[in-house]
Amino acid sequence: MTISGVLGYLQGLFSRAFWFGSFLPIAIFGVINLVLVSVVFPGVIVWTDWLKVTSDSWTALPLAILGLLVLTYAISPLVKVLHGLLDGSLLPDFIHNWLREQRAGEMRALRRQLNAQRDLFVECKQLADTGIPAMAAARAKGAQTDNATLSQGFDQVEQEIKDFESQLAEGKTIKVSALEDTTKKIQDELEHVNAGKAEAKRLSDLQRRALTIIWDARRDAGYRFITLTTRWRGLALNEPRATRIGDARANVQRYTSDVYDADFDFIWPRVQSILPKDSPLIDRILAAQAQVDFSTLSLALVAVLALTWGPLFAIYATSPYPLLIMGAALPLVAFVLYELLFASEIAFGEVVKLVIDRHRLDLLTTLFKQPLPATLETERQMWQTLSLIDKGLRGRPLAYRHAQAPQ
């Protein structure tokens, strides 16, 4: 068989997820190694031979591609092991426990910060919901009077508003209780002074400035809260794992138990088994999983590259620059790949949630022959019963509901 026929057959044999998630990192790793060999050992690699391609002869490049395919197929099962090391689940106990203890304290501090920002946003929202209407009602009451004389403490209130404006201009967080006290002072002023009179224009301007401060404080608190929520998306703040990768995967696993009271390891493989063959969700699952596999394998290969070529550069390289370049580049590449893996885990988790939300009821009726639950609580009881039976616990009655009675 010609080389083109062999490669064409292999292309149809493997899925797109295999080519992108497993073969591509190995291919990139192979090319980098060839380049490094040509740098450290000049003359070993003859690029004219390597880049020569014909449709009917086995030149160096097709042989290399075939070898990479065999290597990729052989090490593909190790991707799950590598992922287990990165999420912490397969790390030795002493390393896993130490990492988790370190992250537990960090996550508690982040949780306190997030809760404090959320409380600040709630306080600002309550002030906007109550303080603004209260000032409007006070102004309506003051409009019924002819008094246009401001109180002796008005200058102090005006200074407080000016201080709040300065704090916002500097990006500082306003103390909501202090702003609420100032708002009440303005409200009291509005009740006794007709702000519509020309003589009380300062009061009318002060009310407008107070409204602007309240809305700006509310928007700023909301923005800060959303920013923290987005930045720490994927982190298991309440139940941290040994690594951030473990956090992202744990959040997905907790979703089914928190929402449906179903064990993730029980429901997820079974939901995949009932997906229609033409479902677009299958491609989304494979694409998301391929992204995770690509990042995992690439990160592992970067570590292999450093461990292999670091000593070789130190021993055989005639110039220190290759070693310095690799020492500067590989940590940056590893950081980018780790962040890519974390983002890929979050994206994969969103796809998993979507698939479970869409097809969990089909799983109940199709595979387990259960009636459609009328309420979420009823559905949770069903999943709890099925999960317990899966764990070998008996004594839970389970009645089947067949579409047609057997003849």
Side-chain angles (χ1 to χ4, degrees):
M1 181 180 291
T2 63
I3 181 61
S4 59
V6 173
L7 294 179
Y9 172 77
L10 292 175
Q11 183 178 2
L13 184 62
F14 299 110
S15 65
R16 286 181 297 172
F18 172 84
W19 290 104
F20 178 78
S22 299
F23 178 75
L24 183 58
I26 296 293
I28 295 174
F29 178 74
V31 171
I32 293 175
N33 275 277
L34 287 177
V35 173
L36 293 178
V37 168
S38 65
V39 171
V40 179
F41 306 104
V44 174
I45 301 296
V46 181
W47 290 106
T48 55
D49 294 338
W50 275 92
L51 299 178
K52 183 179 180 181
V53 180
T54 63
S55 60
D56 56 355
S57 62
W58 293 81
T59 57
L61 181 58
L63 284 173
I65 294 176
L66 186 60
L68 289 177
L69 280 172
V70 174
L71 178 62
T72 302
Y73 185 78
I75 69 173
S76 290
L78 294 178
V79 175
K80 292 186 179 297
V81 178
L82 296 173
H83 189 275
L85 294 174
L86 291 171
D87 68 23
S89 59
L90 296 182
L91 288 174
D93 288 342
F94 72 96
I95 298 179
H96 173 274
N97 295 337
W98 181 80
L99 287 174
R100 190 181 183 281
E101 289 174 1
Q102 301 300 314
R103 297 195 71 251
E106 178 186 352
M107 292 302 103
R108 280 192 290 268
L110 294 182
R111 188 170 65 244
R112 287 193 298 268
Q113 185 177 350
L114 183 63
N115 292 339
Q117 192 60 53
R118 180 194 59 199
D119 294 342
L120 178 63
F121 172 65
V122 172
E123 291 176 0
C124 290
K125 184 177 182 301
Q126 291 176 346
L127 178 59
D129 293 341
T130 59
I132 293 177
M135 284 193 293
R139 177 163 183 155
K141 183 178 179 180
Q144 300 176 3
T145 68
D146 292 330
N147 182 27
T149 304
L150 302 175
S151 67
Q152 294 181 354
F154 183 81
D155 291 341
Q156 176 62 33
V157 178
E158 201 171 34
Q159 182 60 45
E160 292 175 4
I161 290 295
K162 185 177 180 181
D163 292 340
F164 288 131
E165 290 173 336
S166 299
Q167 293 174 23
L168 286 175
E170 296 172 3
K172 297 180 179 179
T173 301
I174 288 180
K175 189 175 181 180
V176 180
S177 59
L179 179 58
E180 185 177 7
D181 292 340
T182 301
T183 302
K184 290 180 179 179
K185 295 176 183 178
I186 297 175
Q187 177 183 342
D188 184 67
E189 197 80 23
L190 288 168
E191 285 183 356
H192 300 89
V193 177
N194 189 338
K197 290 183 173 294
E199 298 86 343
K201 186 178 182 300
R202 290 175 60 194
L203 176 58
S204 182
D205 292 341
L206 195 66
Q207 180 189 7
R208 176 183 51 79
R209 292 164 62 187
L211 293 177
T212 301
I213 292 172
I214 292 174
W215 281 114
D216 286 348
R218 183 182 185 277
R219 283 189 287 263
D220 183 69
Y223 170 78
R224 292 175 184 270
F225 176 66
I226 293 174
T227 300
L228 293 181
T229 302
T230 303
R231 182 183 303 169
W232 298 333
R233 177 171 170 252
L235 297 180
L237 297 180
N238 295 320
E239 298 178 6
R241 300 303 192 264
T243 66
R244 289 201 299 154
I245 308 302
D247 282 359
R249 185 55 62 97
N251 284 335
V252 180
Q253 294 174 345
R254 286 181 58 249
Y255 176 77
T256 56
S257 59
D258 291 344
V259 178
Y260 303 116
D261 204 8
D263 183 72
F264 177 82
D265 294 331
F266 173 78
I267 191 174
W268 174 235
R270 290 168 173 81
V271 165
Q272 294 180 80
S273 69
I274 66 165
L275 289 177
K277 293 183 179 180
D278 58 348
S279 174
L281 292 176
I282 294 179
D283 291 336
R284 294 187 62 178
I285 294 172
L286 293 177
Q289 185 63 62
Q291 184 70 59
V292 172
D293 292 346
F294 173 86
S295 305
T296 301
L297 189 54
S298 298
L299 194 58
L301 292 176
V302 166
V304 172
L305 197 68
L307 294 175
T308 303
W309 283 100
L312 290 177
F313 272 135
I315 296 173
Y316 295 104
T318 58
S319 171
Y321 294 109
L323 182 61
L324 294 176
I325 293 174
M326 187 181 70
L330 288 186
L332 178 60
V333 172
F335 173 78
V336 172
L337 288 173
Y338 189 87
E339 293 299 321
L340 178 61
L341 176 57
F342 181 63
S344 301
E345 280 287 356
I346 295 177
F348 176 73
E350 295 302 320
V351 175
V352 170
K353 294 176 184 179
L354 174 62
V355 174
I356 291 176
D357 290 340
R358 172 64 180 83
H359 289 284
R360 73 187 192 284
L361 294 180
D362 297 335
L363 178 62
L364 278 177
T365 58
T366 303
L367 188 61
F368 299 114
K369 308 300 181 183
Q370 298 298 299
L372 284 174
T375 64
L376 179 59
E377 186 59 33
T378 303
E379 181 186 353
R380 288 172 174 170
Q381 293 174 0
M382 287 182 176
W383 288 119
Q384 186 179 34
T385 299
L386 291 168
S387 298
L388 290 176
I389 293 175
D390 178 66
K391 294 176 182 177
L393 300 178
R394 300 185 178 183
R396 294 296 183 101
L398 186 67
Y400 296 116
R401 180 178 180 178
H402 298 280
Q404 182 179 357
Q407 300 295 328

